[in-house]
Amino acid sequence: SSGINAEYGGSKERTSCCCPLKRKDGVALLLFWTQKNHIASIPQLGEVFEAFNAGESIKFFEAYFSSSVSKIKQQTFFDLILPNIQRLALLLPELITHPIPIFYPQVQQSITLNSLQIASLLSNAFFGLITAPKKYISSEGFSDFDLTILWSTSAVMVTDKAIRSGGAISECILHYFERIAKTEDSELLKHTVTFTRKVLSKEKQPNWALSEKPLSPLEVRFDGGFEDSGCLLQPDFASSSIGGAVLYNGSVQEEILFAVKPECLVSMLLCTRVEKNEAIVIKGAERFSDYKGFGWSFRYHSDYKDKTERDDKGRIITEIYCIDAIPSAGKFEEYKPESIQRDLEKVYCAVMSDDEPPLPSSSMATGRWGSGMYACDVQLKFIQQLLAGSQANQSIVYLTFNDKPLKEEIENIYLYLVSKNVTVGQLYSSLSKFKEGKLFNFLRENF
């Protein structure tokens, strides 16, 4: 069946967590163009965007197709990609026959969608057709699920010689739609993605100080990306509102992840802002694009064939765990017990197993969480991730992104702690004694 397979956290009740989503007026115009033939030109596409109050969106496509993009690529867009987007957008009522749940705060729940349903939702987002009432967006902290925002803000990123940063985000999304257009619906029905809001209840919180678990195996890598780490758990160093600035020309870790794995964008439709004891986990999202660069140097590079193994539900076996750090307000604030506890349990919530008994240990990739615009202490963030991963029985792969001194610092402190047989409880308790200086130096003196 193509209907939604929804698994809510211990509850089968649908009506209490259903989002009053609606499609904007103007679907009739989209249907008109589909029945007439298809949208065959920039002016016709502009007419449709205007009908949806998204007239600025056409500026990206005008700039994109007048840049270095080949005529063949433009013809492919109008002859293949856009007609399929129209078709999938109009198929939504047939593909999704039950209300879509809101992932409200403090309710653990999940939903599994097949790739055809996801493609239909994203096709509606292409035209900005799906919206939640403004009172829900403002009061519940929803992210926007509207690709016309991306189109309208990306035009300035396209020049005659290059498609820069935010424009490259758009190029990745268009490449996803091209791949979908070249894939049979029957194949998309076989593949699924599960979106989960996890909540660390008081009953599940470890007694950190009494934990006798040893520190997990650790590998520190100089280069490479999370998506190439080979780990089953891969991080999204997220905003509290999932997706971050992906629709607003952002091009750092979370935005790039959502660009090369566009199925992740559906989480922006489902999830309200996450709270301190919550995390979002996305299992099964396929990677469609290869890329180069980071930030302003980010560029779409080429098609990417994701050959990762799938499970018996058709999901790619890797899970993306989405965690938001507390922005640093200085070391004094960052090392307060409540601040340490908050981010420690944020990671633990994301990577712990919900299975009873817990599944055998797996591996989690991680890295410089919160070290960018949040300006967090890299040493503290490493220790928090080491503690959470160890408590959750995860072996850890830490990527330094070409930072040789950091690689050596982390390897040295880890080997020292292991040589002293330091447990999770001992390492956790030592953090409350730290007052000033470098954390790693303090740990050497303390043990």
Side-chain angles (χ1 to χ4, degrees):
S1 169
S2 61
I4 287 180
N5 170 26
E7 302 168 359
Y8 305 115
S11 172
K12 296 296 183 181
E13 183 65 40
R14 293 181 185 274
T15 55
S16 63
C17 55
C18 288
C19 180
L21 299 171
K22 61 182 181 180
R23 292 211 287 181
K24 292 181 181 177
D25 295 336
V27 175
L29 179 64
L30 184 61
L31 182 61
F32 167 76
W33 278 115
T34 304
Q35 292 174 333
K36 178 182 178 182
N37 190 357
H38 60 258
I39 303 167
S41 67
I42 292 290
Q44 290 176 355
L45 180 57
E47 184 179 337
V48 174
F49 281 134
E50 284 286 353
F52 302 144
N53 297 317
E56 292 294 309
S57 297
I58 200 60
K59 292 182 179 179
F60 165 74
F61 294 93
E62 290 172 341
Y64 182 65
F65 289 123
S66 63
S67 67
S68 56
V69 174
S70 69
K71 293 294 183 184
I72 294 175
K73 204 169 186 71
Q74 181 172 345
Q75 184 176 353
T76 300
F77 176 76
F78 283 105
D79 289 352
L80 174 68
I81 302 171
L82 190 54
N84 194 60
I85 292 172
Q86 293 172 244
R87 180 183 70 86
L88 290 176
L90 293 168
L91 273 179
L92 186 64
E94 298 176 32
L95 295 174
I96 297 183
T97 56
H98 299 292
I100 295 174
I102 288 178
F103 284 9
Y104 281 120
Q106 303 305 316
V107 179
Q108 179 151 321
Q109 55 185 328
S110 64
I111 184 172
T112 298
L113 299 170
N114 64 54
S115 292
L116 186 60
Q117 293 170 323
I118 291 171
S120 179
L121 287 167
L122 289 173
S123 294
N124 278 273
F126 179 95
F127 295 107
L129 282 173
I130 296 181
T131 182
K134 289 184 178 179
K135 67 176 182 178
Y136 286 90
I137 295 173
S138 58
S139 64
E140 302 292 349
F142 275 103
S143 301
D144 293 299
F145 185 69
D146 184 348
L147 290 176
T148 66
I149 296 170
L150 178 63
W151 312 141
S152 63
T153 57
S154 294
V156 295
M157 298 294 170
V158 181
T159 68
D160 290 340
K161 295 182 179 179
I163 299 171
R164 299 180 285 120
S165 188
I169 298 280
S170 295
E171 195 169 16
C172 289
I173 304 299
L174 290 180
H175 177 68
Y176 160 79
F177 282 119
E178 180 175 356
R179 282 277 302 276
I180 292 299
K182 293 177 178 178
T183 305
E184 295 292 333
D185 287 0
S186 58
E187 191 66 23
L188 295 174
L189 286 168
K190 297 176 184 176
H191 300 160
T192 63
V193 181
T194 298
F195 303 87
T196 302
R197 188 185 194 112
K198 296 183 70 175
V199 181
L200 184 64
S201 63
K202 289 185 178 180
E203 294 74 26
K204 293 181 180 179
Q205 291 173 358
N207 189 328
W208 293 98
L210 297 181
S211 175
E212 298 181 353
K213 289 194 173 184
L215 302 182
S216 287
L218 171 73
E219 177 186 353
V220 187
R221 296 182 187 171
F222 173 69
D223 55 11
F226 297 131
E227 62 273 16
D228 302 314
S229 65
C231 296
L232 291 180
L233 296 176
Q234 299 174 6
D236 167 18
F237 295 152
S239 163
S240 59
S241 293
I242 192 76
V246 66
L247 301 184
Y248 296 87
N249 296 318
S251 51
V252 289
Q253 194 260 338
E254 180 171 32
E255 291 83 4
I256 292 173
L257 175 66
F258 277 49
V260 301
K261 297 186 174 185
E263 291 170 321
C264 292
L265 292 166
V266 172
S267 63
M268 299 167 68
L269 175 67
L270 301 171
C271 301
T272 59
R273 185 181 295 111
V274 291
E275 298 187 347
K276 63 179 183 179
N277 63 329
E278 298 180 322
I280 304 298
V281 174
I282 303 170
K283 182 171 184 176
E286 182 175 351
R287 181 177 169 188
F288 290 86
S289 297
D290 201 2
Y291 68 94
K292 290 184 177 180
F294 188 85
W296 286 103
S297 67
F298 171 66
R299 303 286 186 273
Y300 167 81
H301 182 248
S302 61
D303 180 47
Y304 183 89
K305 295 293 194 299
D306 197 332
K307 298 180 180 178
T308 308
E309 179 186 350
R310 293 181 183 269
D311 64 14
D312 57 1
K313 293 184 178 180
R315 299 177 299 192
I316 283 175
I317 59 174
T318 52
E319 298 184 19
I320 298 167
Y321 64 96
C322 311
I323 50 174
D324 58 298
I326 301 175
S328 177
K331 184 166 286 190
F332 176 77
E333 292 293 328
E334 196 171 352
Y335 277 86
K336 282 186 174 180
E338 58 269 27
S339 298
I340 291 175
Q341 195 79 9
R342 188 270 191 195
D343 279 3
L344 170 62
E345 296 194 335
K346 171 73 67 169
V347 184
Y348 180 71
C349 174
V351 303
M352 71 174 186
S353 173
D354 286 318
D355 295 280
E356 294 292 344
L359 295 174
S361 63
S362 61
S363 56
M364 58 176 280
T366 192
R368 301 175 59 163
W369 181 36
S371 66
M373 62 182 297
Y374 283 11
C376 297
D377 184 334
V378 176
Q379 294 189 359
L380 174 59
K381 282 287 165 282
F382 165 70
I383 294 298
Q384 288 170 315
Q385 293 173 94
L386 177 62
L387 287 169
S390 300
Q391 185 68 24
N393 302 316
Q394 303 285 350
S395 60
I396 301 168
V397 175
Y398 189 100
L399 287 81
T400 64
F401 295 97
N402 305 312
D403 189 332
K404 187 175 180 181
L406 179 62
K407 180 178 186 295
E408 292 174 351
E409 286 177 4
I410 288 178
E411 286 176 333
N412 289 339
I413 191 62
Y414 173 78
L415 291 173
Y416 179 81
L417 293 171
V418 170
S419 73
K420 298 296 184 180
N421 296 314
V422 175
T423 65
V424 167
Q426 291 169 335
L427 182 55
Y428 169 81
S429 297
S430 72
L431 294 177
S432 63
K433 304 172 187 175
F434 177 69
K435 301 301 180 186
E436 59 184 4
K438 293 285 188 181
L439 177 60
F440 287 0
N441 292 339
F442 164 78
L443 293 175
R444 286 190 182 89
E445 295 170 0
N446 192 62
F447 291 107

